[in-house]
Amino acid sequence: MSAILRKIIAPGGIPAWGIRVIASRTYSSSAGGKEMTVRDALNSALDEEMSADPSVLLMGEEVGEYQGAYKISKGLLDKYGPKRVIDTPITEAGFTGMAVGAAYHGLRPVVEFMTFNFSMQAIDHIINSAAKSNYMSSGQISVPIVFRGPNGAAAGVGAQHSQCYAAWYASCPGLKVLVPYNSEDARGLLKAAIRDPDPVVFLENELLYGESFPISAEALDSSFCLPIGKAKIEREGKDVTIVAFSKMVGYALKAAEILAKEGVSAEVINLRSIRPLDRATINTSVRKTNRLVTVEEGFPQHGVGAEICASIVEESFEYLDAPVERITGADVPMPYAANLERMAVPQVEDIVRAAKRTCYRSVPVAVNA
Amino acid sequence: MALSTHRTTTALLRHLTPAISYLRHISTDSTSTITVETSVPFTGHKIDPPSRSVDTTAQELMSFFRDMALMRRMEIAADSLYKAKLIRGFCHLYDGQEAVAVGMEAAITRKDCIITAYRDHCIFLGRGGTLLESFSELMGRKDGCSKGKGGSMHFYKKEGGFYGGHGIVGAQIPLGCGLAFAQKYKNDENVTFTLYGDGAANQGQLFEALNMAALWDLPAILVCENNHYGMGTAEWRAAKSPAYYKRGDYVPGLKVDGMDALAVKQACRFAKEHALTNGPIILEMDTYRYHGHSMSDPGSTYRTRDEISGVRQERDPIERVRKLLLAYDIANEKELKDIEKEARKQVDEAIAKAKESPLPEPSELFTNVYVKGYGVESFGADRKEIRAALP
């Protein structure tokens, strides 16, 4: 696969090196490729799947008349009516349980959590009523449901609205946990999730909703689906592997650009799927580069990076030339003050620094905010 | 109990000794209507209760007796199996509450759905489950209804409209309202009965689900099996208002003598009609469990033995049907005893067969994690030793 350079739009402006690189795509497509925001990608995926299968319905707070708290479901109520696009009261435990029950009976609900922080009110239904049912019933009760919504930190929303739930949900057998990064991911993974016969937790990112990414003609087709459980190599490299998901993929790609200038060739892996975790792709990459940095927004203890590190140590220990590095959110509840918040989430320079450490390059001391 | 009847044979024979079996008054197969008045009237909350006069037939009463006798025997046998350590973990027995299971079945079809909590063995039987599936599951064998992977609390029979078997108190209530949601979505003119106990009646998610069921007119019937104890806590210690049939506030409710199979049938039929046109309704079944909360609970530290034996004497559901059958000369004492012996025999045979059923294959550890596993890897305790690709 040829190297892929993606058009990178930095939130807040032109990247530091002042070059905007226009993407060349892997898929064959007409010249002058299209772009699509993640929001539109999700909206179109929902629209197409609802159109194709009358048993697919959307329920959640403000998904109907308000057009979606983040406008992801814009236009769907008008198109499909209140029977299929349902505004619920603010009762997560109740409506999540009801959606799971509807899935028991053969419907294919898509449950929107306004943010995944609120999913904690319904987590018993996600785990005990949805994830475990197929196993406990030995295949009698399957649960073709999708739980989706923004996950992780937004900007300035404070401790109760900023947690990343990837590690929690991904630890549970019976669930699938998907994390799109760009628009192609959003479309392909959401369509795959809705078609999947098992419960899927679909973790979006609020700050990515408005970001625009190139999208191929293939990805725009209504039959387009991405495989579940397969990571994507966003950028090939040979010196260090950087594994990330969701918004951190963008940061990892920026870090890779910076590292390239310093002669370090980084391979960036976009996980796309936390459960199943594509251990094969990560291990193959690390066996090539011999160095690994994992990046995530969530809390460090028992996080996704911890699992990846354990997996590499188990499968590819002899290939490591340096200890595995983890870049994660800070081990504190998310603070509000802008400078503290900045310290509480990974920044591009953190990824660069960690990658250099794996290469035994000297690094400047981290600057405190 | 009033004995107004429509009979096909003469009333004269009523005075002959019932032991003369060839002078049967009403054939056990007879489907001609017998009308019985329930001993306790229904009490309504924001609704006019149904009549106390319940139509039944000899055939139906016989089936009540047979089914309840089987259920009773099954639960008592499970008690012994648990003490013999053939059943492990949790085992919550339903003996005393059988009238709810059989009365409900008499009022509905298998296209209607039932979902309940963990005291689910008898509901499973009512929905078409077999004794073999039940005992095999309890003993964790592959012929169990969940192939041994569920256990006592996770019996299911989807083709019979039974959606489990749930261990988390109260969780089944939103799930049941979701089943009703799907029924309405599909326009299939069926209803869902969601069973829960007096302990679960205080759960917040009940009120969340009830609100949505009422808002969206779902065909959901919430059935509180009030056996008056939530584990070891009596209802008056757990609920400020133990009038569970009223707790729906804007949702109508009915209080029912849950130890009377005919009253249960009447209430369930009434509720089904209501739910199909007017949305949710709550049924509070006044019932009683003879066993403790589970096999780890003797059940006598928070209630007196007198109370338990008192209920057994005065209100036992099987005894009530027996009295009806005898009073209407549908069967005699011996015949009914024979039925109970037959039930015992069926249970013993099923247990013997279940004991022969093997434990699941080790490979079953990794099956049904997903419907579609994409060949993903899963691991045993020592992942270097045991791994599997999920089908």
Side-chain angles (χ1 to χ4, degrees):
Chain A
M1 214 196 247
S2 60
I4 304 154
L5 297 176
R6 293 253 168 222
K7 180 172 183 180
I8 298 158
I9 300 172
I14 297 168
W17 57 93
I19 303 165
R20 223 178 234 150
V21 179
I22 305 300
S24 62
R25 276 164 297 287
T26 44
Y27 305 107
S28 63
S29 63
S30 51
K34 287 188 72 178
E35 284 208 343
M36 192 181 224
T37 61
V38 171
R39 174 178 289 113
D40 289 341
L42 293 168
N43 182 278
S44 64
L46 280 167
D47 190 350
E48 286 162 21
E49 293 307 303
M50 287 181 76
S51 172
D53 184 346
S55 67
V56 177
L57 58 116
L58 176 66
M59 64 158 69
E61 295 152 14
E62 311 298 352
V63 296
E65 294 190 13
Y66 196 87
Q67 308 297 321
Y70 299 98
K71 305 291 178 263
I72 306 300
S73 53
K74 184 163 184 216
L76 296 181
L77 175 66
D78 279 342
K79 192 163 176 187
Y80 297 104
K83 179 180 154 174
R84 297 183 67 194
V85 180
I86 298 147
D87 282 325
T88 63
I90 309 174
T91 51
E92 276 79 4
F95 70 71
T96 304
M98 284 175 68
V100 174
Y104 284 0
H105 206 277
L107 295 186
R108 304 184 83 93
V110 176
V111 177
E112 177 171 308
F113 290 118
M114 200 178 282
T115 75
F116 264 90
N117 301 284
F118 314 137
S119 74
M120 291 199 286
Q121 308 222 291
I123 201 164
D124 176 61
H125 282 296
I126 299 173
I127 307 298
N128 280 323
S129 304
K132 298 178 183 172
S133 282
N134 198 60
Y135 192 82
M136 289 193 295
S137 69
S138 241
Q140 269 190 77
I141 310 282
S142 66
V143 194
I145 195 168
V146 176
F147 305 103
R148 51 159 291 274
N151 174 60
V157 293
Q160 292 181 339
H161 289 76
S162 303
Q163 193 165 331
C164 173
Y165 292 87
W168 282 24
Y169 286 123
S171 72
C172 186
L175 281 183
K176 290 169 182 166
V177 180
L178 301 179
V179 248
Y181 161 57
N182 57 23
S183 304
E184 184 177 302
D185 288 354
R187 268 185 62 78
L189 292 176
L190 185 55
K191 286 159 82 67
I194 294 173
R195 296 180 197 186
D196 195 274
D198 293 305
V200 180
V201 170
F202 193 84
L203 303 173
E204 301 159 5
N205 185 293
E206 192 217 316
L207 298 174
L208 286 175
Y209 284 153
E211 278 204 30
S212 217
F213 294 91
I215 193 140
S216 65
E218 184 190 340
L220 286 169
D221 188 79
S222 65
S223 64
F224 178 65
C225 250
L226 284 174
I228 290 180
K230 292 274 170 285
K232 178 162 187 229
I233 298 179
E234 293 286 349
R235 178 188 175 121
E236 284 198 0
K238 54 180 187 51
D239 294 331
V240 57
T241 300
I242 306 177
V243 179
F245 59 93
S246 187
K247 184 148 163 289
M248 294 293 117
V249 175
Y251 282 26
L253 288 167
K254 281 193 212 125
E257 282 292 323
I258 297 171
L259 288 162
K261 280 172 192 45
E262 309 202 20
V264 176
S265 158
E267 178 149 289
V268 175
I269 298 180
N270 170 7
L271 279 177
R272 284 180 164 175
S273 177
I274 314 282
R275 187 175 188 104
L277 188 62
D278 191 350
R279 298 169 206 278
T281 298
I282 304 169
N283 274 283
T284 302
S285 176
V286 173
R287 287 178 182 208
K288 181 174 76 169
T289 65
N290 312 121
R291 294 160 213 282
L292 175 62
V293 177
T294 69
V295 189
E296 65 198 287
E297 271 197 303
F299 298 137
Q301 192 165 335
H302 311 297
V304 177
E307 171 64 30
I308 295 175
C309 177
S311 187
I312 296 301
V313 164
E314 284 160 358
E315 310 272 338
S316 307
F317 182 69
E318 315 78 34
Y319 292 83
L320 285 171
D321 285 346
V324 175
E325 295 274 354
R326 293 185 282 178
I327 294 298
T328 71
D331 201 11
V332 296
M334 181 68 66
Y336 168 64
N339 61 335
L340 297 181
E341 185 186 61
R342 206 180 168 281
M343 289 171 72
V345 286
Q347 303 298 330
V348 176
E349 54 260 30
D350 294 316
I351 306 172
V352 172
R353 192 184 318 110
K356 282 186 175 169
R357 279 203 297 263
T358 66
C359 298
Y360 298 110
R361 302 285 187 93
S362 65
V363 294
V365 171
V367 177
N368 278 335
Chain B
M1 175 172 31
L3 291 177
S4 57
T5 61
H6 308 287
R7 298 191 187 180
T8 51
T9 53
T10 69
L12 292 170
L13 291 170
R14 205 172 9 131
H15 301 293
L16 288 177
T17 15
I20 307 169
S21 56
Y22 56 89
L23 283 177
R24 174 61 5 78
H25 200 199
I26 299 175
S27 146
T28 56
D29 298 331
S30 169
T31 51
S32 53
T33 309
I34 303 171
T35 307
V36 178
E37 248 195 31
T38 63
S39 42
V40 175
F42 300 101
T43 320
H45 166 74
K46 301 210 170 152
I47 196 163
D48 287 327
S51 157
R52 281 169 81 170
S53 296
V54 187
D55 286 343
T56 182
T57 66
Q59 194 179 63
E60 182 173 77
L61 290 172
M62 287 301 290
S63 78
F64 280 178
F65 187 85
R66 214 172 272 121
D67 293 342
M68 288 199 284
L70 205 64
M71 288 174 181
R72 179 68 57 93
R73 261 291 113 216
M74 174 179 71
E75 296 295 76
I76 291 173
D79 175 303
S80 305
L81 287 174
Y82 192 90
K83 287 173 175 148
K85 296 201 187 321
L86 285 163
I87 299 177
R88 306 174 318 113
F90 293 128
C91 188
H92 306 87
L93 300 176
Y94 198 74
D95 49 312
Q97 300 185 211
E98 298 91 346
V100 176
V102 301
M104 188 176 290
E105 284 300 331
I108 65 177
T109 73
R110 293 277 166 80
K111 294 238 162 65
D112 296 310
C113 302
I114 300 182
I115 191 170
T116 187
Y118 41 76
R119 207 176 296 279
D120 58 348
H121 311 156
C122 298
I123 303 279
F124 168 73
L125 225 57
R127 292 265 88 186
T130 67
L131 290 170
L132 178 63
E133 285 173 321
S134 175
F135 287 115
S136 302
E137 189 59 37
L138 288 171
M139 293 195 278
R141 310 296 175 94
K142 67 197 281 201
D143 289 318
C145 53
S146 303
K147 310 223 181 90
K149 285 164 72 167
S152 165
M153 298 183 285
H154 305 297
F155 283 22
Y156 303 85
K157 197 153 201 69
K158 191 168 176 186
E159 71 264 22
F162 179 51
Y163 286 83
H166 294 270
I168 307 297
V169 171
Q172 76 274 22
I173 301 165
L175 293 172
C177 292
L179 292 170
F181 178 95
Q183 289 171 318
K184 180 159 183 169
Y185 191 96
K186 295 177 188 180
N187 291 318
D188 70 11
E189 295 292 301
N190 294 312
V191 301
T192 296
F193 286 80
T194 300
L195 277 53
Y196 59 97
D198 46 293
N202 300 313
Q203 279 258 319
Q205 57 187 321
L206 186 162
F207 299 96
E208 294 190 15
L210 193 62
N211 175 48
M212 284 180 272
L215 207 52
W216 302 332
D217 281 315
L218 303 182
I221 298 146
L222 272 65
V223 181
C224 179
E225 293 186 280
N226 182 7
N227 57 26
H228 308 284
Y229 296 91
M231 203 155 139
T233 303
E235 62 184 323
W236 57 270
R237 288 212 301 136
K240 182 70 178 173
S241 164
Y244 301 106
Y245 70 110
K246 288 188 186 170
R247 297 277 290 275
D249 183 19
Y250 43 82
V251 168
L254 208 60
K255 187 161 169 165
V256 184
D257 177 3
M259 308 289 268
D260 179 347
L262 290 172
V264 172
K265 175 182 123 165
Q266 184 88 317
C268 291
R269 196 190 348 207
F270 177 80
K272 178 170 172 174
E273 271 173 44
H274 181 275
L276 282 172
T277 45
N278 296 313
I281 182 169
I282 296 180
L283 299 178
E284 182 187 332
M285 303 287 181
D286 184 351
T287 182
Y288 200 84
R289 54 166 162 82
Y290 298 138
H291 269 88
H293 163 72
S294 73
M295 285 303 299
S296 346
D297 169 25
S300 51
T301 58
Y302 49 85
R303 2 178 244 185
T304 61
R305 291 191 199 279
D306 283 346
E307 178 187 292
I308 305 170
S309 54
V311 174
R312 211 187 269 276
Q313 261 178 349
E314 303 296 315
R315 298 180 67 207
D316 185 272
I318 301 177
E319 290 316 302
R320 289 163 83 158
V321 175
R322 190 198 307 271
K323 284 193 188 107
L324 271 177
L325 289 168
L326 293 174
Y328 284 88
D329 279 340
I330 298 168
N332 62 34
E333 299 267 10
K334 181 182 178 300
E335 282 164 326
L336 297 180
K337 281 265 179 301
D338 284 345
I339 290 176
E340 287 175 303
K341 275 200 207 127
E342 175 63 29
R344 199 174 188 136
K345 179 162 164 279
Q346 282 181 27
V347 163
D348 289 343
E349 278 170 8
I351 292 176
K353 201 139 178 261
K355 281 180 179 169
E356 283 166 26
S357 173
L359 290 169
E361 294 295 315
S363 59
E364 290 288 338
L365 182 67
F366 294 107
T367 58
N368 307 122
V369 176
Y370 296 119
V371 173
K372 220 169 167 192
Y374 304 107
V376 149
E377 253 190 335
S378 181
F379 310 96
D382 182 347
R383 56 211 286 147
K384 301 239 162 117
E385 276 293 303
I386 302 193
R387 317 177 94 139
L390 299 183

